[in-house]
Amino acid sequence: MAYKPSICTMSLGRCYAGHSLPEKLDMAMKYGFSGIELFYEDLLDLAKKMPGGATPENHISSAHLIKGYCDDRNLEIICLQPFMHYEGLVDRNLHNRRIEEMRLWFKMAHVLGTDLIMLPSSNLPPDQITKDMDCIIQDMVEIAEMGLQESPVIRFAYEALCWGTRVETWEASWDIVCKVNRPNFGICLDTFNIAGRIYADPTMSTGRNPDAGRTLSQSLDRLVQSVPADRIFLLQVADGERLAQRLLQGHEFYDPEQPPRMSWSRNARLFYGEPHYGGYLPIREILQVLISRVGFKGWLSLEVFNRRLADTDRSVPEEMGKRASQSWNSLKRDLHLNTNSLSYTSKLLHLLNSSNDSQHIIRTHM
């Protein structure tokens, strides 16, 4: 498929701020987006409003409604996200409950017409997540095998959040992907989370780690050498705002229950190409590596969280849709995107859905 723009539904205004999902989808259609990442919270909001509340049956009914909304607007649902706090749970009874929840997510994904579920690394307190990486890997193998039994196959995109408890870098998440070694288990790369851990630190007066540029360059060189393009199942694009003050106690974004990078992410992500709002991360450099050197082709998904999204102002979805469209145009121009080029995606899906076993296709390990 060609390079096409997708946007997270949460990027167009949070549902609890009074902006309905159809209203947000209207903005995605109006501003030329081809697809959406469906945020589970938007689906849950619909289910809660149905008689009986957020039952499994109402989750499925909500998925049918959302599929209809998207079909009416010619929007493809490229993934359902995020399935939070799954891997390495110390409480194995909770792990078993999460497995049952995943079975419901499979049903919702099939109804929504997507084959992809996004898994962010957990940021639960350290006493709730094991240090045993073998346990974390086995947990991922368990759901990957479950996904392989689905028809069509369900894929998983594993993302390192830059404030993750055990996994906070793309290198750590890629190592797990390699060791899981299943064709339906790949990596999600997010420009904010890559730069937000390797390059940036909102608690520093400079907003940057020491020797940030060299450290990032070395990390990107490792990425080129390690990660094949067809193992990148999802590429999310966002910048971050340079804060005027360090994000420490006393800052308006400070939350004692959140790591600083998480509070920064929730309040101060920006679309690509917004230096006028304070954007300062080297997003263009990261994307040039992923597109020109790694050879990624496919969806470029804009995933932005920002304090503006919590406003009940009725202009929020329109404003964010317009900003997202301007960002996509900047991406096309700056990266010289060929929107007619084909990608590996259809070949990979054919391999997954025609295989009768769990043939492993990862050949590159760190």
Side-chain angles (χ1 to χ4, degrees):
M1 72 181 185
Y3 287 113
K4 292 195 288 187
S6 173
I7 189 166
C8 179
T9 57
M10 294 293 280
S11 298
L12 295 172
R14 294 177 182 267
C15 54
Y16 57 75
H19 310 298
S20 70
L21 181 59
E23 181 182 13
K24 293 189 285 184
L25 296 177
D26 284 342
M27 291 302 105
M29 177 181 66
K30 176 179 178 178
Y31 285 102
F33 285 86
S34 303
I36 63 161
E37 288 185 62
L38 179 63
F39 210 84
Y40 170 70
E41 190 169 296
D42 281 316
L43 187 150
L44 178 63
D45 183 63
L46 283 178
K48 286 180 175 178
K49 294 175 182 176
M50 294 179 177
T55 64
E57 294 77 15
N58 284 345
H59 276 71
I60 299 301
S61 296
S62 295
H64 280 289
L65 276 176
I66 292 169
K67 181 67 164 80
Y69 292 155
C70 291
D71 286 348
D72 289 344
R73 295 162 176 82
N74 294 316
L75 292 169
E76 184 175 342
I77 301 171
I78 69 168
C79 81
L80 176 61
Q81 72 114 328
F83 192 78
M84 298 285 292
H85 305 312
Y86 163 70
E87 78 277 25
L89 291 167
V90 172
D91 183 343
R92 300 314 285 177
N93 289 326
L94 178 56
H95 167 83
N96 293 335
R97 292 198 295 273
R98 295 296 279 151
I99 287 291
E100 290 307 310
E101 290 171 17
M102 180 59 78
R103 297 185 197 282
L104 176 60
W105 277 57
F106 287 168
K107 293 177 183 178
M108 292 188 295
H110 291 319
V111 170
L112 293 166
T114 184
D115 73 325
L116 186 62
I117 291 173
M118 202 274 280
L119 296 166
S121 62
S122 180
N123 63 280
L124 288 174
D127 63 344
Q128 297 181 34
I129 308 175
T130 182
K131 294 180 180 179
D132 183 355
M133 297 307 294
D134 288 339
C135 176
I136 288 174
I137 291 162
Q138 187 53 47
D139 284 349
M140 296 306 196
V141 169
E142 183 176 6
I143 56 168
E145 290 288 353
M146 289 169 56
L148 285 170
Q149 300 307 311
E150 292 293 307
S151 182
V153 166
I154 294 292
R155 298 181 299 143
F156 299 93
Y158 184 45
E159 176 185 18
L161 299 182
C162 62
W163 59 91
T165 305
R166 304 296 181 204
V167 176
E168 59 181 357
T169 64
W170 74 261
E171 287 98 334
S173 62
W174 175 242
D175 185 55
I176 290 173
V177 169
C178 290
K179 289 174 180 174
V180 170
N181 202 22
R182 298 297 188 276
N184 62 329
F185 196 86
I187 195 169
C188 169
L189 294 177
D190 179 311
T191 60
F192 179 89
N193 279 313
I194 292 174
R197 181 62 184 85
I198 301 170
Y199 181 89
D201 183 346
T203 68
M204 301 288 287
S205 59
T206 61
R208 295 171 175 83
N209 291 315
D211 207 11
R214 183 177 65 86
T215 303
L216 178 66
S217 178
Q218 291 174 345
S219 180
L220 292 177
D221 284 342
R222 289 194 296 272
L223 194 155
V224 172
Q225 295 163 10
S226 303
V227 183
D230 61 3
R231 304 308 298 157
I232 303 172
F233 284 4
L234 185 60
L235 177 55
Q236 297 171 327
V237 181
D239 199 346
E241 177 185 343
R242 169 76 184 279
L243 303 181
Q245 288 86 36
R246 298 162 69 187
L247 209 169
L248 301 171
Q249 188 170 1
H251 194 284
E252 62 176 319
F253 301 158
Y254 179 78
D255 185 335
E257 297 183 358
Q258 294 180 350
R261 284 183 171 91
M262 181 179 180
S263 301
W264 180 44
S265 174
R266 291 291 176 263
N267 288 280
R269 286 201 189 201
L270 298 170
F271 291 105
Y272 172 87
E274 293 191 324
H276 47 290
Y277 287 114
Y280 76 107
L281 301 179
I283 305 306
R284 181 174 180 176
E285 291 84 347
I286 294 171
L287 290 173
Q288 283 176 328
V289 166
L290 291 171
I291 290 170
S292 298
R293 296 177 62 191
V294 175
F296 174 83
K297 297 182 179 70
W299 291 98
L300 294 175
S301 189
L302 311 186
E303 187 194 45
V304 169
F305 309 100
N306 189 281
R307 57 197 177 277
R308 175 66 172 143
L309 298 178
D311 292 344
T312 56
D313 185 339
R314 302 303 300 174
S315 67
V316 168
E318 179 90 36
E319 172 193 324
M320 301 307 281
K322 184 176 181 180
R323 284 173 58 183
S325 177
Q326 292 169 341
S327 177
W328 170 241
N329 288 331
S330 296
L331 281 166
K332 288 192 294 184
R333 180 194 66 236
D334 294 349
L335 298 170
H336 309 290
L337 296 181
N338 178 2
T339 56
N340 295 314
S341 62
L342 297 177
S343 80
Y344 51 78
T345 305
S346 60
K347 180 179 178 181
L348 177 62
L349 292 180
H350 175 74
L351 171 66
L352 291 172
N353 290 316
S354 64
S355 177
N356 293 321
D357 53 30
S358 302
Q359 291 295 321
H360 302 169
I361 63 175
I362 300 176
R363 300 184 179 88
T364 304
H365 295 263
M366 294 193 59

